[in-house]
Amino acid sequence: MSFLIDSSIMITSQILFFGFGWLFFMRQLFKDYEVRQYVVQVIFSVTFAFSCTMFELIIFEILGVLNSSSRYFHWKMNLCVILLILVFMVPFYIGYFIVSNIRLLHKQRLLFSCLLWLTFMYFFWKLGDPFPILSPKHGILSIEQLISRVGVIGVTLMALLSGFGAVNCPYTYMSYFLRNVTDTDILALERRLLQTMDMIISKKKRMAMTRRTMFQKGEVHNKPSGFWGMIKSVTTSAPGSENLTLIQQEVDALEELSRQLFLETTDLYATKERIEYSKTFKGKYFNFLGYFFSIYCVWKIFMATINIVFDRVGKTDPVTRGIEITVNYLGIQFDVKFWSQHISFILVGIIIVTSIRGLLITLTKGMYFVSSVLLIRMSMPLEYRTIITEVLGELQFNFYHRWFDVIFLVSALSSILFLYLAHKQAPEKHMAP
């Protein structure tokens, strides 16, 4: 009886998540387009529903909601469904959609769709060769084999986005990195843009007058026909055609310059608005957050480096470890186990909410969620990891955390270099005459 009640709770939540995914797809992702492929909408909504259910089960794991056997069953079912969608349905339908738009293959689109899916499966399976994720104990299509490969792709995407976000967030929020833009700078750039547009108009007028003169003099003829006519058209040219070619090249260069000046002008206006915004109360709040995230970014890069150099993976969740260090340093009486459970619950809840938001923004779909479960596991106390570890199977969890640190470090350092060069080049660009 308890299993039926637990299942009814899970099914109800899945229906609600499915409805939310359906509305988000229609009202946000494709609000300006007419959706004719309802299969896409159904796949998106189902993926979103089961992915959110996985995070719901993590919260239930911490709170002790539902029977343990019911949670285990729904963990297994959710993973099987989402892996079926990610590895089989989505790649096959993408291949089918591509083949359907090729007229030559339209009659045999099902055959070629299967060939594309088999090609995907080959490379998807070969993805596991360079990484220590294979296990000879499990079958070819076991959950462990599929999750291990999906996890590599998802963790790589998450680490790349996290590395860039950790650097770009303080760069975007902090007023320290804003260029000093004045009305004089904007007016000077707008003047250059107007001068360039005037030059383009002037040269196009010259081209039009040259063509008119050539037409009046009879230098513009119909295209010659026959073999000798083709030879003559290649070896000879009208007297004014060379000037037209040179002017056209100048116009093309000026039009490219006008596009660049327009983009720079737009960027200056956006920077000026950010400067005005930074003076408001909300802007000062985000500026403070920028300093906080700068410290977090440096700490995260430092810890990732330490983990890589010393091949270190934390055995204790960060919340419990942080509370233990603080209590020992201050020398106070504190129930570490009790409060670490509550703070872990809040932390995991925040991670889940931001992960769902990250899915809706980046649209990396189910791989994002599966990878989040692999990484969130380390943020949970040991007693809450049991069912998750049993469901995911004999995976090399330490590998995924180490791989995340490596990709995060590369992404963060590359982002720092890129933003430094962009920030350094921007003032020089606007100072150019």
Side-chain angles (χ1 to χ4, degrees):
M1 189 66 182
S2 61
F3 177 79
L4 294 177
I5 296 175
D6 294 344
S7 298
S8 63
I9 294 174
M10 296 303 302
I11 292 172
T12 303
S13 62
Q14 287 172 348
I15 293 173
L16 293 175
F17 290 139
F18 180 88
F20 180 79
W22 185 280
L23 291 175
F24 180 82
F25 187 93
M26 294 295 295
R27 302 257 179 109
Q28 294 294 327
L29 296 183
F30 290 91
K31 61 181 179 180
D32 298 325
Y33 302 93
E34 181 182 357
V35 181
R36 298 180 180 178
Q37 300 291 337
Y38 285 101
V39 178
V40 177
Q41 190 173 356
V42 171
I43 292 176
F44 175 86
S45 302
V46 171
T47 304
F48 181 81
F50 279 91
S51 300
C52 291
T53 305
M54 289 170 58
F55 283 145
E56 182 184 35
L57 286 170
I58 292 178
I59 295 178
F60 287 173
E61 200 70 34
I62 296 174
L63 296 178
V65 178
L66 306 185
N67 189 272
S68 177
S69 59
S70 299
R71 293 200 304 267
Y72 181 83
F73 170 80
H74 287 286
W75 265 114
K76 277 285 188 181
M77 186 187 69
N78 272 268
L79 279 176
C80 289
V81 172
I82 202 167
L83 289 175
L84 178 67
I85 295 172
L86 291 177
V87 181
F88 297 96
M89 290 183 62
V90 172
F92 178 81
Y93 188 76
I94 291 175
Y96 183 82
F97 181 77
I98 293 173
V99 172
S100 298
N101 289 310
I102 302 175
R103 292 184 179 180
L104 296 176
L105 307 178
H106 196 267
K107 293 182 179 180
Q108 296 179 328
R109 56 182 180 271
L110 187 61
L111 174 62
F112 285 99
S113 300
C114 293
L115 291 177
L116 282 178
W117 179 78
L118 291 174
T119 304
F120 163 78
M121 285 299 298
Y122 172 79
F123 287 104
F124 177 76
W125 209 256
K126 295 295 290 184
L127 179 68
D129 291 350
F131 302 104
I133 58 177
L134 299 177
S135 176
K137 298 180 180 179
H138 305 286
I140 295 178
L141 295 179
S142 62
I143 290 180
E144 290 80 7
Q145 297 283 12
L146 296 178
I147 288 180
S148 61
R149 287 161 175 80
V150 171
V152 170
I153 300 173
V155 168
T156 303
L157 290 173
M158 290 181 64
L160 287 172
L161 294 173
S162 299
F164 175 75
V167 176
N168 186 61
C169 184
Y171 180 79
T172 303
Y173 287 163
M174 292 176 64
S175 58
Y176 174 81
F177 295 105
L178 291 176
R179 301 192 308 272
N180 185 21
V181 177
T182 61
D183 293 333
T184 305
D185 298 330
I186 297 177
L187 290 175
L189 201 57
E190 287 180 338
R191 193 177 298 114
R192 287 182 59 195
L193 178 59
L194 291 175
Q195 290 174 353
T196 305
M197 297 300 294
D198 289 339
M199 292 174 64
I200 293 172
I201 295 172
S202 176
K203 289 184 181 296
K204 286 189 174 182
K205 286 182 178 179
R206 284 180 56 191
M207 291 176 63
M209 293 175 65
T210 303
R211 288 196 179 98
R212 181 182 179 184
T213 303
M214 291 173 61
F215 180 79
Q216 290 176 348
K217 292 181 178 181
E219 294 174 355
V220 178
H221 301 283
N222 293 329
K223 186 176 180 180
S225 59
F227 177 75
W228 293 110
M230 293 174 59
I231 297 296
K232 185 177 180 181
S233 65
V234 173
T235 56
T236 62
S237 60
S241 61
E242 295 181 357
N243 292 333
L244 284 175
T245 303
L246 292 175
I247 296 175
Q248 183 62 50
Q249 291 176 355
E250 294 175 0
V251 169
D252 293 339
L254 288 172
E255 286 179 342
E256 180 61 31
L257 176 62
S258 67
R259 283 190 287 269
Q260 295 298 326
L261 290 175
F262 176 78
L263 292 175
E264 291 176 20
T265 305
T266 305
D267 183 57
L268 285 184
Y269 271 110
T271 304
K272 185 182 177 182
E273 289 179 359
R274 287 179 58 193
I275 292 174
E276 296 297 328
Y277 177 77
S278 65
K279 297 177 182 179
T280 63
F281 176 78
K282 192 175 181 180
K284 292 178 181 179
Y285 167 73
F286 280 106
N287 184 49
F288 171 76
L289 284 183
Y291 284 101
F292 172 78
F293 282 116
S294 297
I295 298 173
Y296 170 78
C297 178
V298 173
W299 175 81
K300 186 67 178 176
I301 292 174
F302 173 75
M303 293 304 299
T305 306
I306 294 296
N307 293 339
I308 294 170
V309 172
F310 295 100
D311 194 16
R312 186 177 70 93
V313 176
K315 302 298 182 183
T316 307
D317 65 283
V319 173
T320 303
R321 182 61 177 167
I323 293 176
E324 287 177 350
I325 294 174
T326 304
V327 169
N328 292 332
Y329 178 78
L330 297 177
I332 59 177
Q333 296 293 327
F334 195 79
D335 192 345
V336 175
K337 184 176 180 181
F338 174 80
W339 285 105
S340 65
Q341 292 178 358
H342 289 73
I343 296 175
S344 294
F345 169 70
I346 297 173
L347 176 64
V348 171
I350 294 173
I351 293 174
I352 288 171
V353 172
T354 55
S355 296
I356 294 174
R357 181 176 179 271
L359 167 82
L360 298 178
I361 293 175
T362 61
L363 301 181
T364 47
K365 297 182 176 64
M367 291 186 181
Y368 186 95
F369 282 95
V370 175
S371 306
S372 297
V373 172
L374 292 174
L375 298 177
I376 287 176
R377 173 186 168 275
M378 186 57 69
S379 299
M380 301 172 64
L382 290 173
E383 57 267 26
Y384 301 138
R385 303 181 192 175
T386 306
I387 290 185
I388 297 178
T389 304
E390 291 179 2
V391 172
L392 295 178
E394 299 178 5
L395 297 181
Q396 300 295 328
F397 293 102
N398 292 348
F399 160 76
Y400 290 102
H401 288 277
R402 180 177 174 81
W403 180 248
F404 181 89
D405 288 335
V406 171
I407 302 299
F408 174 88
L409 185 62
V410 173
S411 176
L413 295 178
S414 301
S415 301
I416 291 174
L417 179 61
F418 172 77
L419 292 177
Y420 171 76
L421 294 176
H423 186 78
K424 185 179 180 182
Q425 186 180 6
E428 298 176 357
K429 184 188 296 183
H430 298 305
M431 290 175 61

